[in-house]
Amino acid sequence: MDVQRLLDGFLGNGSGSKSKSGLGGMAGGLASNMPGGLMGGAAAGGLVAALLSSKKARKLGGKALTYGGLAVLGGLAYKAWSDHKANRPEDASTAAPSAPPADSGFDPARLRDSRGEDFRLTLVRAMVSASLADGHINADEQALIDQQIQSSDLAEDERRFISVQLDRPADPIAIASLCADEPQATEVYLASLVVLDPGVPGDARYKQRLGDALRLPDDLRRRLEREVETALAEA
């Protein structure tokens, strides 16, 4: 399995704009490619855009992950975690790096999860599980997801990996068990927040259960939630 190719198909890397950096730039790149609504956004933004339900797509304007990929998530997670550990006041918070330091424990490409697998796959699992938290995929959404998988450049084993994740029920406990340490738990929580809609009851419950299973302190959870909210608002 080519993990980078799988990520490109899942996140739609390369479809966003390089004019803005960070999660806001990634989100804005996808949103700018959504003249056709959800269908247009999914085509531009990869499978993760197709996984968003119609209510989430309307709320977020198609703000799924595109340009920058998991490195941007790692940078945001590293910032929130560092601020938390330093007990840094919010108004003294530093800017998030575009990517986490290589030796920080937040660079997904360098990490292995609790089972010894590539941690980038754990983040994909986390985002798929979170996207299914409301427990409902309608026929149109399923058709769009199937279309995205079939039209992608993914190899058969990569398509199978995605299909297996989609067939599993949303399970925050199982996702949490894949994290080897608190930095990994921090990244998983933040990646899940990107696709969760706190205004949907099922998503809100999933977020609470995931945070509890990851054993993240309340202060760290709040910092991560603010990082995502701020970044998406700037898209």
Side-chain angles (χ1 to χ4, degrees):
M1 181 187 298
D2 185 329
V3 175
Q4 187 57 55
R5 181 170 57 198
L6 187 150
L7 291 173
D8 289 344
F10 183 73
L11 301 176
N13 283 1
S15 64
S17 169
K18 296 186 180 182
S19 63
K20 295 176 73 175
S21 62
L23 184 56
M26 299 188 312
L30 179 54
S32 67
N33 285 310
M34 291 193 73
L38 182 59
M39 182 68 76
L47 180 59
V48 69
L51 286 171
L52 297 178
S53 67
S54 58
K55 59 181 176 296
K56 291 176 184 173
R58 286 195 301 269
K59 182 178 179 69
L60 298 178
K63 295 171 182 174
L65 291 160
T66 52
Y67 179 74
L70 299 183
V72 172
L73 289 183
L76 287 171
Y78 174 72
K79 173 186 180 297
W81 184 81
S82 298
D83 287 349
H84 165 71
K85 288 297 184 182
N87 198 27
R88 188 173 291 123
E90 288 183 53
D91 57 4
S93 180
T94 57
S98 59
D103 60 351
S104 65
F106 281 85
D107 183 353
R110 296 171 176 262
L111 304 178
R112 295 284 166 175
D113 67 13
S114 64
R115 302 189 302 187
E117 294 187 2
D118 192 313
F119 183 61
R120 292 174 294 177
L121 296 179
T122 295
L123 293 176
V124 171
R125 291 183 174 101
M127 285 187 279
V128 172
S129 181
S131 73
L132 301 175
D134 62 4
H136 178 68
I137 296 179
N138 63 38
D140 290 341
E141 291 163 353
Q142 186 62 59
L144 181 55
I145 291 168
D146 292 341
Q147 175 188 325
Q148 281 293 101
I149 293 175
Q150 293 306 316
S151 64
S152 71
D153 294 329
L154 298 179
E156 184 58 34
D157 59 342
E158 295 151 7
R159 294 183 183 185
R160 186 165 55 250
F161 172 84
I162 294 294
S163 295
V164 167
Q165 309 316 311
L166 289 169
D167 286 341
R168 290 175 174 165
D171 189 344
I173 310 303
I175 294 299
S177 72
L178 299 175
C179 298
D181 53 29
E182 188 173 76
Q184 290 189 12
T186 301
E187 288 198 70
V188 161
Y189 190 70
L190 186 140
S192 301
L193 290 176
V194 172
V195 296
L196 287 170
D197 182 347
V200 176
D203 285 20
R205 288 192 295 271
Y206 184 96
K207 183 184 77 170
Q208 182 65 46
R209 293 182 64 209
L210 178 64
D212 291 346
L214 292 169
R215 299 182 180 179
L216 294 179
D218 289 342
D219 175 71
L220 179 54
R221 296 190 210 185
R222 288 191 296 269
R223 290 176 186 270
L224 291 166
E225 290 161 13
R226 283 191 291 268
E227 289 294 337
V228 171
E229 290 169 2
T230 299
L232 293 182
E234 294 173 350

